[in-house]
Amino acid sequence: MSPRSPHRACACQDFNRAELLRHAAAQPGRGLPSIEPGMPTPAGTGLSRRGFLLASAGLALSVYGAGRLLDPASFEEGIARAAAGPTQPVLVSVYLQGGIDSMSVLYPAGDPLYASYRPMLALPDTAGPVFTEDPRLHWHPLAAPLAQLHAEGKVSVLPAVGYADPDQSHFTSRHFWEVGATQAELLTGWMGRYLDLAGAPDNPLQGLCLDEALQPSLATARMPVATIDSPSSYSFYARGVWGPPQSIMYDYFDALGQVGTRSGDAAMAQSGQAALMSNTLRRQLMPFQPASGEAAPGLPAGYPGAGDQFPARMAAIAQMLAAGLPMRCVSVSTESVFDTHDSQVAALNTGLAEAAQTLYAFQRDLEARGLADNVLTLVWSEFGRRPQENGSGGTDHGAAGCAFVMGTRAAGTMIGEWPGLAGGLDALGNVRATADFRGLYCSLLEQWLGHEAAPVIPGAAGLARPQVVR
């Protein structure tokens, strides 16, 4: 675990073990860590990793699944070529670590059993706004930014999403969500399999993870994908050029680029496009770059000034898209951990406030940049918590949880329903799923990414497709 990530420490040994195993599995040369019997091998295990500094883009990337393309210049050319093509829809996957308590995010104030199930944790009727599509549910007051976006028709809400015969292990349940199937043996992620079919062999930015290691949902079998740790890693570099000549060089990038693109010569046009893209990217990323000896600049307006990386990484996604980088699937996770077995109120409130405000700021950022119609954001967690609180002021691992699809093109409606506490619990007393996450993935693939789901999601033919895109 990173020393910069204080929220990742968790009392739940299942969660901590899962994090350590996944992190170790992504490190080359160390082999696969020991997996307990019955636990799935993390997706992405076995992918080779190479580090590249893309000089024209200024990104220090770890590229996975590089295949035969070993020359960084070939990646730069592929990125420039992809960026010059038609605009592609972008899917951003946001993982709420640890299994967030959906009965707090959307609390069933109108359910007569709610107060008896949660004598200490129950929120009063008046605490948060009513969820308009089911007045039994209220938004947590700190989820008000999501409630506002939902009121604008920009957030689809799944109040009870999961799968049949739920597994309450962090490791296994998260693996199922990552690979898009309830199959432990799969070694590629669901977005990775999509990129294997629809991606390009020379554009690692098509699947980009902002984290310390590649997230398994983006693990591919053939196509390259990439990861970068933090926005402060971005820089613009020209070999052997610094000081006043560097400023002069930047000033002439646009002029030289225009000459190339208007020359009528294919090679000159590609060179000119690279120059224009490089200088545009330099200007877009300058706010992230601290001056020599200074701290990094603040985030754009609206993002919370938290000490962890989640708000900065979401801001970076908007900025990189605005710079024209050809991203198609992006993965990021919160650093706050929602595995609230004890003292839930403080931990949940801190993490939920940051996550909700960051997501709201990200959506407004996209809108201000004119990018909102091209981006859809999926927000998910591996499971919900048990309806009944425990004796430690917390909640234990449950089954169905909540998920959200955010964007101006989102359908903006409820998907599935809240099943209620009287008849909506399974034999173990956990919330029963009314929407299957695999069907949600099928809809995202077909309605948003424009790709048939059957080659990507096992058993897709038997899964209902909710309407997620307007």
Side-chain angles (χ1 to χ4, degrees):
M1 295 183 186
S2 168
R4 300 189 306 277
S5 307
H7 300 298
R8 291 192 185 224
C10 179
C12 176
Q13 293 304 308
D14 177 38
F15 179 85
N16 289 338
R17 182 173 63 249
E19 285 297 287
L20 289 170
L21 287 171
R22 290 170 188 278
H23 182 73
Q27 304 306 307
R30 297 185 182 178
L32 179 67
S34 173
I35 304 291
E36 293 183 7
M39 295 176 70
T41 300
T45 299
L47 278 180
S48 62
R49 183 181 75 165
R50 295 179 176 88
F52 289 99
L53 176 66
L54 294 126
S56 65
L59 298 179
L61 296 167
S62 292
V63 178
Y64 295 80
R68 61 180 177 82
L69 297 170
L70 305 181
D71 179 9
S74 65
F75 284 115
E76 293 183 42
E77 293 170 2
I79 290 170
R81 191 159 47 248
T87 300
Q88 300 283 343
V90 179
L91 178 63
V92 178
S93 171
V94 176
Y95 167 47
L96 305 175
Q97 291 201 81
I100 195 169
D101 180 29
S102 56
M103 271 184 56
S104 288
V105 179
L106 285 166
Y107 66 98
D111 194 308
L113 294 176
Y114 174 55
S116 62
Y117 273 67
R118 298 200 166 183
M120 294 178 60
L121 296 178
L123 291 163
D125 292 1
T126 57
V130 173
F131 178 58
T132 52
E133 293 173 87
D134 186 341
R136 295 176 298 171
L137 300 175
H138 290 225
W139 292 92
H140 192 289
L142 294 174
L146 294 178
Q148 174 62 39
L149 291 174
H150 178 259
E152 297 173 13
K154 298 172 183 173
V155 170
S156 295
V157 178
L158 294 86
V161 62
Y163 53 93
D165 301 319
D167 190 299
Q168 293 171 253
S169 159
H170 286 290
F171 196 97
T172 302
S173 189
R174 177 181 167 186
H175 175 81
F176 289 167
W177 277 81
E178 288 168 337
V179 301
T182 54
Q183 298 177 14
E185 69 276 8
L186 287 178
L187 294 178
T188 54
W190 76 278
M191 290 192 294
R193 291 197 299 278
Y194 159 70
L195 292 172
D196 274 334
L197 295 170
D202 54 3
N203 175 23
L205 296 185
Q206 62 200 337
L208 182 64
C209 173
L210 274 75
D211 208 328
E212 298 164 7
L214 182 69
Q215 291 295 323
S217 59
L218 280 172
T220 59
R222 297 184 296 110
M223 295 297 175
V225 290
T227 185
I228 186 169
D229 182 17
S230 68
S232 60
S233 300
Y234 306 156
S235 62
F236 188 89
Y237 171 72
R239 186 184 301 274
V241 181
W242 63 89
Q246 186 179 51
S247 299
I248 295 171
M249 177 188 71
Y250 293 153
D251 290 340
Y252 277 94
F253 263 33
D254 284 336
L256 291 173
Q258 293 291 346
V259 170
T261 56
R262 296 170 181 172
S263 67
D265 180 82
M268 286 286 291
Q270 182 175 351
S271 176
Q273 181 64 38
L276 290 173
M277 175 181 155
S278 298
N279 209 32
T280 299
L281 180 63
R282 179 185 67 87
R283 289 193 297 265
Q284 293 287 346
L285 298 185
M286 280 178 65
F288 279 136
Q289 299 309 308
S292 179
E294 295 182 3
L299 296 176
Y303 288 92
D308 65 32
Q309 290 282 3
F310 177 60
R313 285 170 173 162
M314 293 301 291
I317 294 171
Q319 200 154 9
M320 293 165 72
L321 288 170
L325 293 182
M327 294 136 61
R328 300 179 71 172
C329 294
V330 184
S331 175
V332 65
S333 62
T334 61
E335 289 196 77
S336 292
V337 173
F338 295 98
D339 195 33
T340 49
H341 288 278
D342 54 65
S343 305
Q344 173 169 300
V345 172
L348 177 73
N349 286 2
T350 299
L352 179 59
E354 179 186 292
Q357 185 58 46
T358 299
L359 291 167
Y360 180 86
F362 177 66
Q363 179 61 31
R364 295 301 190 221
D365 197 354
L366 294 175
E367 292 170 6
R369 296 176 185 273
L371 301 170
D373 286 348
N374 297 326
V375 182
L376 211 59
T377 303
L378 168 66
V379 184
W380 63 279
S381 198
E382 63 261 49
F383 46 58
R385 318 297 293 182
R386 287 186 60 80
Q388 290 184 309
E389 66 183 51
N390 59 32
S392 302
T395 52
D396 298 322
H397 299 181
C402 59
F404 307 96
V405 178
M406 181 179 76
T408 56
R409 296 282 309 283
T413 59
M414 179 169 63
I415 297 173
E417 62 180 354
W418 167 248
L421 294 173
L425 305 185
D426 63 20
L428 297 177
N430 291 313
V431 177
R432 177 175 48 83
T434 61
D436 194 306
F437 78 95
R438 297 166 296 176
L440 172 62
Y441 288 176
C442 289
S443 294
L444 290 170
L445 286 162
E446 294 174 347
Q447 298 170 24
W448 181 244
L449 296 174
H451 196 282
E452 185 182 358
V456 178
I457 305 298
L463 297 169
R465 270 74 154 169
Q467 189 65 35
V468 298
V469 176
R470 68 170 93 232

